[in-house]
Amino acid sequence: MVKSGFMCFVLVATLLIALAAQDQRSAEKSNQVVLKYLGTAGWEITDGTTAILIDPYLSRINGPAPPGAGSGHFMAGDTRRVYRWGDVASPDFAAIDAHIQRADFVLVTHTHYDHILDVPHIALKTGAAVIGTESTENVMRAYGVPEGQLITVRGGEDYQFSTFSLKAIPSIHSPLDHKHYFSSAMAPAGMKAPLTLEQIHPEGGTLAYLIRFHSHQILAFGGMNYIEREMVGLEPDVALIGAGASRKEIYDYSGRLMRALHYPAIVLPTHWDNFLAPFEASQQPALEALQSFVQEIVAASPKTRVIVPKYFEPIPLDTPAK
Ligand SMILES: [Zn+2]
Ligand SMILES: [Zn+2]
């Protein structure tokens, strides 16, 4: 009897210790920020409670290529349906649903199909707030995303949300087509779905975002350009930087950016893969091309750690913020 009483005490004590450890783990977990690369310029950033998506594009349709030196090109042997500009913009719902279960916020950098095609479905399915330009929000309206979910920004806003704050930063689009790309087009109000690929593709201006989340400041770009003066005063510890080939059109792209940002601890290249290829295709040529970006960053900022992300692989942030 004494013995079984003792055993009972040991069991309860063990259980209490285990529960305490679990409590501590979940407390730690709630402050742990984890990033996940979704391909193209797409990211998920979450602390396990709040999920923020940036330019989520899971469909990876066999769509039109961007003008010269863009980061999408037709893949030889691709037997999937070819989408042209006049075709109805049809996301791959199965691909989205396989990878996106929940979202609280979707940040959109600009209204190009490789950034926005999947956002109406994600917004309708998750109820997430969509933050973006007027052009982006007009595309959401066309698909019936409720007004209450739409937060229109132009760049310069610095907003507090319950678990993070967000600065929308004026930016500029990648200098595609050897600097000949330029667009002042925006998606107009009053459109009604179904829209064509062309209708969801007027740039509508370009934004970057600074997310302050727990002890981290994460700066996210949706392409290969930035406005240097808008970087002044930002101190991100993590920067998602456009690493496609069109960055080479820009004077001292990586050097100017690293200096302006005061040498962030972590750089994650974004928009570097061939987004016209399905997830399962080899990205070997893009990975090889990415090496020159890694070298540029390390040359400009030797203490920065460049992490080449793998699709959907969690990247936990555990470095203390500056
Ligand atoms: Zn674009
Ligand atoms: Zn793009």
Side-chain angles (χ1 to χ4, degrees), residues 42-89:
W43 292 84
E44 180 193 80
I45 303 175
T46 181
D47 63 353
T49 307
T50 303
I52 303 166
L53 305 181
I54 301 167
D55 289 351
Y57 177 55
L58 290 305
S59 290
R60 299 178 76 90
I61 59 169
N62 193 1
S71 43
H73 49 88
F74 177 74
M75 199 187 55
D78 194 342
T79 54
R80 296 175 302 159
R81 177 193 162 185
V82 175
Y83 282 82
R84 304 195 190 283
W85 289 116
D87 292 338
V88 167

Side-chain angles (χ1 to χ4, degrees), residues 40 110 112 114-115 173 222 271 275:
T40 318
H110 65 289
H112 274 167
D114 54 317
H115 301 253
H173 195 271
H271 219 329
F275 65 81

Side-chain angles (χ1 to χ4, degrees), residues 81-160:
R81 177 193 162 185
V82 175
Y83 282 82
R84 304 195 190 283
W85 289 116
D87 292 338
V88 167
S90 317
D92 182 339
F93 297 113
I96 299 172
D97 294 344
H99 295 289
I100 307 291
Q101 277 75 46
R102 53 164 305 197
D104 302 292
F105 295 86
V106 183
L107 318 182
V108 180
T109 62
H110 65 289
T111 322
H112 274 167
Y113 82 83
D114 54 317
H115 301 253
I116 201 170
L117 174 63
D118 294 358
V119 179
H121 176 64
I122 292 171
L124 291 169
K125 155 190 162 129
T126 63
V130 179
I131 301 179
T133 61
E134 192 177 354
S135 182
T136 289
E137 306 303 354
N138 283 341
V139 172
M140 297 306 120
R141 290 183 179 105
Y143 286 90
V145 179
E147 266 321 300
Q149 280 174 245
L150 307 181
I151 299 177
T152 311
V153 290
R154 62 182 297 174
E157 297 85 352
D158 204 338
Y159 287 152
Q160 181 66 52

Side-chain angles (χ1 to χ4, degrees), residues 13-306:
T14 312
L15 191 66
L16 284 175
I17 290 165
L19 282 174
Q22 195 180 25
D23 255 18
Q24 199 182 347
R25 270 199 303 277
S26 50
E28 279 164 13
K29 208 176 110 201
S30 69
N31 287 329
Q32 167 98 77
V33 176
V34 179
L35 284 83
K36 219 188 266 179
Y37 183 47
L38 309 177
T40 318
W43 292 84
E44 180 193 80
I45 303 175
T46 181
D47 63 353
T49 307
T50 303
I52 303 166
L53 305 181
I54 301 167
D55 289 351
Y57 177 55
L58 290 305
S59 290
R60 299 178 76 90
I61 59 169
N62 193 1
S71 43
H73 49 88
F74 177 74
M75 199 187 55
D78 194 342
T79 54
R80 296 175 302 159
R81 177 193 162 185
V82 175
Y83 282 82
R84 304 195 190 283
W85 289 116
D87 292 338
V88 167
S90 317
D92 182 339
F93 297 113
I96 299 172
D97 294 344
H99 295 289
I100 307 291
Q101 277 75 46
R102 53 164 305 197
D104 302 292
F105 295 86
V106 183
L107 318 182
V108 180
T109 62
H110 65 289
T111 322
H112 274 167
Y113 82 83
D114 54 317
H115 301 253
I116 201 170
L117 174 63
D118 294 358
V119 179
H121 176 64
I122 292 171
L124 291 169
K125 155 190 162 129
T126 63
V130 179
I131 301 179
T133 61
E134 192 177 354
S135 182
T136 289
E137 306 303 354
N138 283 341
V139 172
M140 297 306 120
R141 290 183 179 105
Y143 286 90
V145 179
E147 266 321 300
Q149 280 174 245
L150 307 181
I151 299 177
T152 311
V153 290
R154 62 182 297 174
E157 297 85 352
D158 204 338
Y159 287 152
Q160 181 66 52
F161 295 94
S162 58
T163 53
F164 69 101
S165 65
L166 178 75
K167 186 180 172 104
I169 300 166
S171 196
I172 36 182
H173 195 271
S174 310
L176 301 180
D177 201 12
H178 302 291
K179 309 176 190 72
H180 293 281
Y181 169 84
F182 179 82
S183 175
S184 54
M186 65 172 277
M191 298 188 299
K192 285 273 176 288
L195 304 179
T196 63
L197 270 192
E198 193 166 22
Q199 284 177 300
I200 63 158
H201 201 74
E203 182 198 324
T206 290
L207 298 167
Y209 294 99
L210 180 76
I211 304 157
R212 305 182 197 86
F213 201 14
H214 299 294
S215 59
H216 296 283
Q217 296 199 32
I218 301 163
L219 176 64
F221 295 99
M224 281 51 81
N225 218 339
Y226 55 87
I227 300 173
E228 190 172 351
R229 68 170 179 274
E230 297 292 345
M231 301 295 109
V232 174
L234 305 182
E235 298 257 344
D237 57 313
V238 180
L240 317 184
I241 299 176
S246 63
R247 75 180 195 283
K248 294 177 183 169
E249 305 285 343
I250 296 165
Y251 165 66
D252 193 15
Y253 176 77
S254 298
R256 284 194 299 128
L257 188 54
M258 287 298 98
R259 289 191 295 277
L261 298 176
H262 295 128
Y263 314 103
I266 294 176
V267 162
L268 294 158
T270 189
H271 219 329
W272 55 269
D273 65 338
N274 175 14
F275 65 81
L276 294 184
F279 281 119
E280 56 277 11
S282 165
Q283 288 288 343
Q284 201 51 37
L287 281 164
E288 279 164 25
L290 189 56
Q291 289 314 306
S292 63
F293 171 79
V294 176
Q295 285 158 13
E296 281 166 36
I297 295 294
V298 171
S301 181
K303 289 185 179 161
T304 295
R305 198 171 140 223
V306 183

